[in-house]
Structures are given as structure tokens and as C-alpha cells.
Amino acid sequence: MSSEAHPTDTQARGSGRKNRGNGSRRDILDAAARLFQQKGYDATSLRELANAVGMKAGSLYYHFASKEQLAIEVLAIGVKAVTDNVSAHLKAAGPGVTPQQRVSIAIRAHLESILSDGGYTSAHIRCFPYTPEAVQSQLRTVRRTYEDIWTGLIDDLAGLGERPEEARHIRLATLGALNWSLEWFDAERDDMEDYARTVERLIIGASGNVNSG
Amino acid sequence: MSSEAHPTDTQARGSGRKNRGNGSRRDILDAAARLFQQKGYDATSLRELANAVGMKAGSLYYHFASKEQLAIEVLAIGVKAVTDNVSAHLKAAGPGVTPQQRVSIAIRAHLESILSDGGYTSAHIRCFPYTPEAVQSQLRTVRRTYEDIWTGLIDDLAGLGERPEEARHIRLATLGALNWSLEWFDAERDDMEDYARTVERLIIGASGNVNSG
Amino acid sequence: MSSEAHPTDTQARGSGRKNRGNGSRRDILDAAARLFQQKGYDATSLRELANAVGMKAGSLYYHFASKEQLAIEVLAIGVKAVTDNVSAHLKAAGPGVTPQQRVSIAIRAHLESILSDGGYTSAHIRCFPYTPEAVQSQLRTVRRTYEDIWTGLIDDLAGLGERPEEARHIRLATLGALNWSLEWFDAERDDMEDYARTVERLIIGASGNVNSG
Amino acid sequence: MSSEAHPTDTQARGSGRKNRGNGSRRDILDAAARLFQQKGYDATSLRELANAVGMKAGSLYYHFASKEQLAIEVLAIGVKAVTDNVSAHLKAAGPGVTPQQRVSIAIRAHLESILSDGGYTSAHIRCFPYTPEAVQSQLRTVRRTYEDIWTGLIDDLAGLGERPEEARHIRLATLGALNWSLEWFDAERDDMEDYARTVERLIIGASGNVNSG
DNA sequence: GATGAATGAGCATTCATTCAT
DNA sequence: TATGAATGAATGCTCATTCAT
């Protein structure tokens, strides 16, 4: 499930509109996501972004109030995309799966979102920490929503719900292992499913060994 | 072992030098490490850095040829610091330790370097990917040296040397879990040793489960 | 013939355009030519130039990619202006004029371009040698085109075509005498036609005496 | 006569002093002359100059009060060098030479000074016009002294003394032809004596033709 | 005589932003 | 919707200069 609906997707997709790749709002967001992900927030200039969508820098201001606002939208789409993707996979799996299986599913969905997504989620992960405070604070609640999914997932694992600090560390270690892949994953060399399996074994091993720890 | 010698540490520290706390080369490096770590490479301006060490922006150029060169030095000190710290801990443990114990030691040393170090190592980890190509290429060999330590460490684990792709993924997952802590670790709330234990369990569980996987 | 068309002159001059005297591209070029000629390339700052056309330094970059690029355009206009002026005078004289007369015509046209031109040609002559290599190399072909006119002119003089090294020296001596006037010519004191006559006598004397030399 | 005494030559030349090419006043002047000639006044930085003589920029201030003062000295040496060289050649020729021969001698001496001189005279000719007003005004009298030699030389030619404006133009044309050689003379390709002959013919032809003009 | 270390002013350039059209 | 043209602030960097040592 890789092309979940975008929150801003109001215009009819596929209807006979003249949306021939010219600079619509969505084109800007797409290009911004890609550039943010590739070069970072600071290193992405609005001129370059405008250029990428075939317009002039000033024109972007018809669509977005500021670079910060644009970043907020891009990064929000990014979190929402993972959130939706993970939720959808989990729901699709139905109620009869073990907590461990649920974690495995989430690992795969998260990886899928950051590695094969259009760039929104990876832009979020790579840029968020380097973004102005105003951007970060606007994103806190959406980020929290996603975080809560993982908190729930981990808590269900082998009684971890009763050791919240440990659960927190396991969650952050898992997400670290997942997110860090943005810095090294090479589609030509690495296989996503292989890595998913590695991370899955990591976390399940850890939570399993806990009793004897 | 948290205060390993800095590669550039030639002048006697603590002897009666006239270093009146003002901006010497080392002061600049220290402040740069801190700022790079806090705000990122792009967002750190030389004026701000100069201000932090009590001088004017142009004066920095007496000590460093360019912002890039300064970044190269800061980040190089950063890798060398972890490299030395991990090596030293490993050596101190002596030859009679199991591969699993060696990994545990490395995990702790790495965490220590990024979380309680003066900022050089964390600056490296946070800034490197957003740094100009010229900076990155100058750092490749020192980075490789550190990487090789981990490659060796993981290879010794339960026959992982014979499954290099899997070993690579385990190494990267571990380092991801470790490095990502820079984004969330809160000295007031989190205990480093606790997290080290979590990561240690993760990786050891993963490598142990492999046989039965 | 002092107001030959500028190579970049595409917009209607004098028509009812809203060019309210503020800094359009042409205004910048004009002011740059004047400043380059007066103070030299290095001593002309973009702030000063911008000021001269009533804008801020950064605004110049909307019109020109860099100071070097601006210099290239100014100096190119300068050579093209003399080239066109000399060519036009020569053509206007028709085919029935002697080689000596042709040289006389060229001397006057060249002098006119450097002394009463808007400053482009004199900017070229005064700045070119002190300009960055990147600027010089971009101008080589236009300069060559002008040079060739003179080479042809001199070669036709009293069999000079068969003594190319001597012809070269005569050409360069003539152009030296002409160009150097930029360093001393004083419109209040000197008469252009008087000086033209002097230089004309110089070169014609020299080429005539050659046989007996 | 190419190594006339320098006005600043106070230290014993050839005596057993430790003047081993280290940064003495004379070394600075020599290097400054060379750099000024090659790159121009503005483009020559004191750091670069200091580097060329093996010292640090600040040390130059022990020897010279400012860049302007240094330029004044270099350029003054330059004019004095031509002045002395031309005078000496003229004196050496004795009283029995014709005005035309005297001009020929001066042409050669001038050319020699700008083309094979250590760089002082050529630095003067190339830099003077781009030098700050303070520098120019300090040089006016030495320049005038040299100018007067040429004025006298030309005035003696075929009754030119009675047509001062014409004499002035002939003088400036001659010096223009001579000085401009700095922009094109190539020691590998051009022969100084050849060019001297060309210029000599130019001026003598011009002044001779004057009667019939 | 010369240096290490700094400064203040300036430079070319880039950037997010504005706004009349 | 978008652009052309501009702005103000900032950036990395260079320069002539200073001065205690």
C-alpha cells in the first residue's frame, strides 16, 4: 500500500483537467519533498524548488505563505503517509495476529514508506530536526499520533507495557534502526525485505530475551 | 574513557599558557562542534560561531581556510574520537572476552562518545550527510577506519562472517539504533547504560536467533 | 557615426515604454561601462554600481549572473561597437579609396569610438588586461574579429602584406598610439581630429619610409 | 644601461651583509613591482606580496606605512629608472648627434626600461592610472620630470618647438606606441630592436611629413 | 625586524520575501 | 495564477591595517 491518499488531494485525479505537470500546488509539494529529502531544509532554496516545477520563486507564494509553511505541509504529509500506511497494513492483517506479527507488519510498512515513498516521509525524517522551531511545533501532534501507534505495538510485546521506560527504548531503537536506513540504503544493493527481517529479528530477540535479562 | 586525546592536541593543556579563554584554534573547534551538532552545518553561520568564541567572523580565517575546512577538522576529530574511544575500551578489556562482550563494550563506548563527548562525534553524525561533497570526500577514509572496527566486531558474532550481507545489515541496524539516540536522548530522563543494555540485547538476540531463522 | 546600434538593443528606444529611468538591464550596462572605464574592473564595486542605477547590490543579480558576466557583456558591447563603427565608416567610403585613405578612416572611427562613445569601448580597452581569465577568454573571438580588420587594413599598405611581422608592429604601434589617448585626452584641450591627423601621418610616414629603411 | 642605481639603494651592495634574499625593504619593492606589473594595483594583495618575500602581511608595515606608500615608492622608482636610463643614453651619445638620432636613442632606452627592466617602470605604466588619487598626486613631479625630457626631444625635431600642440600629440602618440607594447610584447616572438625601429620610423616620418602637411 | 592574532570595513553573492502588473 | 523586478538581510570570505609580543 504505497499510494495512500494525500491530505491535500482535493482536485479530481484523472479527470480531464489541464494538469499537465505545470506548477500546481501538488507539483510543488512533490518537488519540495524530493528536494528536502535530498539536500535538507536549509540547503533547499525556493528558487531551486520553483525551477524544479517550472515557475519563478515568487510564484510559490501564491500557493504557500512561506518556506516554513511549505515545510510544515510537506512534513505533515510525510508523517500522515507513514501513519496511514502502517495503520492500513495493520488493519488489513485483521485481529488474529500476534503482537510480534503486528510489529513485523509495522516494520515493513514503515520501511516501505521511507524507502519507496515519493519522498514525503523520508523528507520528514531527514529534515525535521533541522527545521525552525515554528515548523517543529506545528508538527508535534501529527508526530505524536504516529508515535502512539508504535508505543501501542511495543507495549503489547511480552509484558513490555509494564516496563514503560524499557518499552520506550525498544521503540526508539527500532525506529532508529529503521530511519537510519535513509543514510545508507542503496536500492541497487540492498533488499528491503532482507533488512526488514533483520530489524524484526532484532526487536523480537530483544523483547524475548528481556525476561532472562 | 571519555577524554581521549584530541588529534590536534599538541599544545600543553593546563600549563601556564596565555590562553586567556579567547578564541584560539581549539576554542573555535569546540564551539563549532557544539553549533554544528545543535543547528546543523548550513544553519551554523560563521558570524555566530565567531561570536560564540568572542571574535569577529573574518578572524576565523586566520585559523581556518574556509567553513568547509573547519567542518572537515571538526568532523574528523569526531570520528577519531569515537574510533579511539572504542579501540581503547576494547584493548582495555583484554583478549579474554567473548565476541558478544566485545560488541557490548563497543556499544557503550560509541554511545558514550556521541552522548557525553564535547560534541565532536555527535556533530559528525548529525552533520555529515548535509555537508558539501568536498567535506564528505575528505572524511571518507577516517570514516572507513571506524566502520571497519564494527565490521570486524559483527563478523565475529556467531558465524556472521560468512553471511556478509546479513552482517552488514546487523551492523547498520545497530549503529542506526545508536546514532538515532541523538534525536531523542534526554540526559534528564534517559540513562545511557539502560539504553546500552537495550541495544546490546537487540543485537545479541538478533545474531543468536539467526541460526534458527 | 557615433551612435551605432547596440548588440543588445532589442527594445524600442524612445517609444513610450515605462522605463522610468530606473535600473533596467541597459541602465546597468551603461553605468557599468562608465564605472569600469573610470575606475577599472577591480575598483568598481557592485554596491557602487547598483547605487549609480538606483538599486541595491543584490538586485543586479536579477539581470546578470555575476560581476564577471556583467563585465563580459559590457566589454563585448565595447568591441562590437568599435568593430561596427569602423566597418560602417569603411563601407560608407565605398570601394574607390586608397589603402592609405582606408587607414585614415579607421583611425578616425576608432578614436571616435573610444573617446566619444558611451564608455563601452574605452571600458574594454582600459579594463580588459586586468580582468579575470574567465572574462578574457570569453572575449577572445570578438577581439580577434576586430583585430582582423586592422590586420587587413595594414597589409594593404605599400606591400606590407609580405612582411607580416613588420605589419604587425605597425598595427600595434598605431593602436597603441590610439588607445593610449584614453590616458591623456582632454576634451577641453585636445581636438580629436587633430590627433587623428597626427596618428595618420605617423603610420603613413612609417609605411612609406619602409622601402628606404 | 639596464641596472641604474636605485634611489633607495642605501645598504652596501656586495658587502658581506646577511641579505640572503630574506625580506628586506628592497626585496619587498622588487616583489611589489613585479606583482603590480603583472596583476595591477588593486589585484595585488599585501598578503600575496608578503608571501612572495617570505614574510607575513603585518611585517610589511615595518618597512612601509601603507599599501599606498609602497605603491608610491615602487612607481617612483619606476619613473626614475626610465628617466635615468634615457638621460644616461642621451649623455653617452654625446653632443654631436642630430635631434632625430636623439629621439631614436630615447625610444630604445624607454623600451628597454619597460620591457627588460625589473618591473618597476612597467609597474608604473600599467598601474598609475588605476592608483588612488593620493598615490597619483605624489608622483606628479617625478612624472613631469620625465615628460619634460620627451618634450625637449620632440621640440627639437624639425621646428616642432613652434607648434607645441602638434609636438604634444606627437610625443603622446610615440609614448602610446611604446607603452602599449606592455600589453602585447612577447619576448619569445618579438624583437625589441625591431619594434624600436618601427616606432622610430613612425615618429620620424610623421615629423618629416609635417612640413608638407 | 618580524609574527601571531585579531579587527572593521568591505566585497560578491544568495536568499526568502514582496508586490504591482 | 504567475511573473518581473526588486529588496533587506545575511552569508562566506578578503583585505589593509594594527599592535602586543
Side-chain angles (χ1 to χ4, degrees):
Chain A
M1 196 211 164
S2 51
S3 66
E4 60 285 336
H6 278 281
T8 57
D9 232 344
T10 52
Q11 68 254 36
R13 204 64 156 175
S15 77
R17 285 265 251 79
K18 45 140 195 180
N19 189 355
R20 358 168 276 277
N22 66 342
S24 74
R25 195 178 161 79
R26 165 52 48 90
D27 290 321
I28 298 172
L29 288 166
D30 283 354
R34 185 171 43 80
L35 287 170
F36 281 157
Q37 174 216 352
Q38 279 169 11
K39 337 189 37 161
Y41 177 78
D42 286 303
T44 296
S45 84
L46 294 192
R47 256 171 192 62
E48 186 181 20
L49 168 59
N51 202 286
V53 297
M55 43 168 76
K56 299 303 162 66
S59 309
L60 297 172
Y61 284 79
Y62 177 81
H63 301 282
F64 301 94
S66 66
K67 187 184 181 181
E68 292 195 358
Q69 199 52 49
L70 170 61
I72 290 170
E73 288 202 36
V74 168
L75 303 211
I77 292 176
V79 228
K80 284 179 188 141
V82 230
T83 305
D84 290 353
N85 198 28
V86 171
S87 300
H89 274 90
L90 251 19
K91 176 172 295 180
V97 294
T98 69
Q100 290 197 0
Q101 282 173 318
R102 289 175 64 80
V103 166
S104 293
I105 287 166
I107 285 172
R108 277 166 184 79
H110 185 96
L111 263 188
E112 185 184 75
S113 282
I114 68 185
L115 296 178
S116 40
D117 181 285
Y120 288 91
T121 304
S122 38
H124 183 117
I125 289 168
R126 294 197 91 216
C127 291
F128 180 81
Y130 304 95
T131 262
E133 181 42 40
V135 172
Q136 302 202 4
S137 70
Q138 288 291 311
L139 292 166
R140 236 135 233 167
T141 75
V142 262
R143 282 170 64 87
R144 186 65 208 265
T145 300
Y146 184 56
E147 197 186 307
D148 287 346
I149 294 181
W150 276 93
T151 304
L153 248 22
I154 301 291
D155 279 359
D156 288 348
L157 237 38
L160 240 29
E162 283 138 36
R163 296 193 298 283
E165 281 311 307
E166 189 187 340
R168 177 168 175 268
H169 279 176
I170 290 184
R171 167 171 55 86
L172 291 164
T174 306
L175 288 168
L178 258 17
N179 292 340
W180 195 254
S181 69
L182 282 172
E183 308 301 333
W184 57 262
F185 194 88
D186 174 3
E188 313 260 306
R189 171 178 192 179
D190 296 295
D191 180 64
M192 210 172 75
E193 173 56 23
D194 274 358
Y195 189 60
R197 213 146 30 212
T198 297
V199 177
E200 170 193 314
R201 251 189 331 253
L202 240 61
I203 182 180
I204 285 164
S207 55
N209 281 349
V210 134
N211 299 326
S212 59
Chain B
M1 197 210 166
S2 52
S3 65
E4 59 284 338
H6 277 282
T8 58
D9 232 343
T10 53
Q11 67 256 34
R13 203 66 156 175
S15 75
R17 281 265 259 83
K18 33 122 201 204
N19 187 354
R20 352 176 282 280
N22 68 342
S24 73
R25 194 181 162 78
R26 168 49 50 94
D27 290 320
I28 297 172
L29 288 166
D30 283 353
R34 186 172 42 80
L35 287 170
F36 281 158
Q37 175 217 351
Q38 278 170 12
K39 338 188 41 161
Y41 177 80
D42 285 304
T44 297
S45 87
L46 293 192
R47 268 165 180 72
E48 186 181 19
L49 168 58
N51 204 287
V53 295
M55 44 167 78
K56 300 308 165 69
S59 310
L60 297 172
Y61 284 80
Y62 179 78
H63 302 281
F64 300 94
S66 66
K67 187 183 181 182
E68 291 195 0
Q69 199 54 48
L70 170 60
I72 289 171
E73 289 202 36
V74 168
L75 303 211
I77 292 176
V79 227
K80 284 180 189 141
V82 229
T83 305
D84 290 352
N85 198 28
V86 170
S87 299
H89 275 89
L90 250 18
K91 176 172 295 181
V97 294
T98 69
Q100 289 197 1
Q101 282 172 316
R102 291 174 63 80
V103 165
S104 294
I105 287 165
I107 285 173
R108 277 166 183 79
H110 184 97
L111 262 189
E112 184 184 78
S113 283
I114 70 186
L115 295 177
S116 41
D117 181 285
Y120 288 92
T121 304
S122 38
H124 183 117
I125 289 168
R126 294 196 90 217
C127 291
F128 180 80
Y130 303 95
T131 262
E133 179 44 37
V135 172
Q136 302 202 5
S137 71
Q138 289 290 312
L139 292 166
R140 236 134 233 169
T141 74
V142 264
R143 283 170 63 86
R144 185 64 209 263
T145 300
Y146 184 56
E147 196 186 309
D148 288 346
I149 294 181
W150 277 93
T151 304
L153 249 23
I154 302 291
D155 279 359
D156 288 347
L157 238 39
L160 239 28
E162 282 139 37
R163 296 191 299 284
E165 281 311 306
E166 191 187 340
R168 177 168 176 266
H169 279 176
I170 290 185
R171 167 170 55 87
L172 291 163
T174 307
L175 288 168
L178 258 18
N179 291 340
W180 195 255
S181 68
L182 283 172
E183 307 302 334
W184 56 263
F185 193 90
D186 174 2
E188 314 260 306
R189 170 179 192 181
D190 297 294
D191 179 63
M192 209 172 74
E193 174 55 24
D194 274 358
Y195 189 59
R197 212 143 37 211
T198 297
V199 177
E200 170 193 313
R201 250 185 338 248
L202 240 61
I203 180 179
I204 286 163
S207 54
N209 281 351
V210 135
N211 299 326
S212 58
Chain C
M1 197 212 161
S2 52
S3 66
E4 60 282 340
H6 277 283
T8 58
D9 231 343
T10 53
Q11 68 257 35
R13 201 67 155 172
S15 76
R17 282 264 259 81
K18 32 117 201 209
N19 186 353
R20 353 175 281 281
N22 68 343
S24 73
R25 193 180 163 80
R26 168 49 51 93
D27 290 319
I28 297 171
L29 287 166
D30 284 352
R34 185 171 44 78
L35 287 170
F36 281 158
Q37 174 216 351
Q38 279 169 12
K39 337 189 40 160
Y41 176 79
D42 286 304
T44 297
S45 87
L46 293 193
R47 270 167 180 68
E48 185 181 20
L49 168 58
N51 204 287
V53 296
M55 44 167 79
K56 300 306 165 68
S59 310
L60 297 172
Y61 284 79
Y62 180 78
H63 302 281
F64 300 93
S66 65
K67 186 181 181 183
E68 290 195 0
Q69 200 52 50
L70 170 61
I72 289 171
E73 288 202 37
V74 168
L75 302 211
I77 291 177
V79 229
K80 285 180 188 138
V82 232
T83 305
D84 289 352
N85 198 28
V86 170
S87 299
H89 275 90
L90 250 18
K91 177 173 293 181
V97 294
T98 69
Q100 289 196 0
Q101 281 172 319
R102 289 175 64 80
V103 166
S104 295
I105 287 164
I107 285 172
R108 277 168 183 78
H110 184 96
L111 262 189
E112 184 183 77
S113 282
I114 69 184
L115 296 177
S116 41
D117 181 285
Y120 288 91
T121 303
S122 38
H124 183 118
I125 289 168
R126 294 197 90 217
C127 291
F128 180 81
Y130 303 96
T131 262
E133 178 46 35
V135 172
Q136 302 202 3
S137 71
Q138 288 289 311
L139 292 166
R140 235 135 232 168
T141 74
V142 264
R143 282 171 63 87
R144 186 64 208 264
T145 300
Y146 184 55
E147 197 186 308
D148 287 346
I149 294 181
W150 277 93
T151 304
L153 249 23
I154 302 290
D155 279 359
D156 288 348
L157 237 40
L160 239 30
E162 282 139 35
R163 295 191 299 283
E165 281 311 306
E166 190 187 340
R168 177 168 175 267
H169 278 175
I170 290 184
R171 168 170 55 87
L172 291 164
T174 307
L175 288 169
L178 257 19
N179 291 341
W180 195 254
S181 69
L182 282 172
E183 306 303 333
W184 55 263
F185 193 89
D186 173 2
E188 314 260 307
R189 171 178 191 181
D190 297 294
D191 180 62
M192 210 172 74
E193 173 56 25
D194 274 358
Y195 189 60
R197 211 141 39 209
T198 297
V199 177
E200 169 194 313
R201 247 183 344 246
L202 240 61
I203 182 180
I204 285 161
S207 54
N209 280 350
V210 136
N211 299 325
S212 58
Chain D
M1 200 222 158
S2 49
S3 66
E4 60 284 337
H6 277 281
T8 58
D9 231 343
T10 53
Q11 68 255 36
R13 202 63 154 175
S15 76
R17 285 264 252 78
K18 44 139 196 180
N19 190 355
R20 1 169 274 278
N22 66 341
S24 74
R25 196 179 161 77
R26 164 52 48 92
D27 289 322
I28 298 172
L29 288 166
D30 282 353
R34 185 170 46 78
L35 288 170
F36 281 157
Q37 173 216 354
Q38 279 169 11
K39 339 189 36 162
Y41 176 78
D42 286 303
T44 296
S45 84
L46 293 192
R47 255 171 192 63
E48 187 181 18
L49 168 59
N51 203 286
V53 298
M55 43 168 75
K56 299 304 163 65
S59 310
L60 298 173
Y61 284 79
Y62 177 82
H63 301 282
F64 301 94
S66 67
K67 187 183 182 181
E68 292 195 359
Q69 200 52 50
L70 170 61
I72 289 171
E73 288 202 36
V74 168
L75 302 211
I77 293 176
V79 229
K80 284 178 189 142
V82 231
T83 305
D84 289 353
N85 198 27
V86 170
S87 300
H89 275 90
L90 250 20
K91 176 172 294 179
V97 294
T98 68
Q100 288 197 1
Q101 282 173 318
R102 290 175 63 79
V103 166
S104 293
I105 287 165
I107 285 172
R108 277 166 184 79
H110 185 95
L111 263 189
E112 184 184 75
S113 282
I114 68 185
L115 295 178
S116 39
D117 181 284
Y120 288 92
T121 304
S122 38
H124 183 117
I125 289 169
R126 295 196 90 215
C127 292
F128 179 81
Y130 303 95
T131 262
E133 181 41 39
V135 172
Q136 301 202 4
S137 71
Q138 289 290 312
L139 292 166
R140 235 136 233 165
T141 73
V142 264
R143 283 169 63 86
R144 185 65 207 264
T145 300
Y146 183 57
E147 197 185 308
D148 287 346
I149 294 181
W150 276 92
T151 304
L153 248 24
I154 302 290
D155 279 359
D156 288 347
L157 236 39
L160 238 29
E162 283 137 36
R163 296 192 298 283
E165 280 312 305
E166 191 188 339
R168 177 169 176 268
H169 279 176
I170 289 182
R171 168 170 55 86
L172 291 164
T174 306
L175 288 168
L178 257 18
N179 291 340
W180 195 253
S181 68
L182 283 172
E183 306 302 333
W184 56 263
F185 193 88
D186 174 2
E188 313 260 307
R189 171 179 192 180
D190 297 295
D191 180 63
M192 209 172 74
E193 173 56 24
D194 274 358
Y195 189 58
R197 212 143 38 210
T198 296
V199 177
E200 170 193 314
R201 250 183 341 247
L202 239 61
I203 181 178
I204 285 164
S207 55
N209 280 352
V210 136
N211 299 327
S212 59

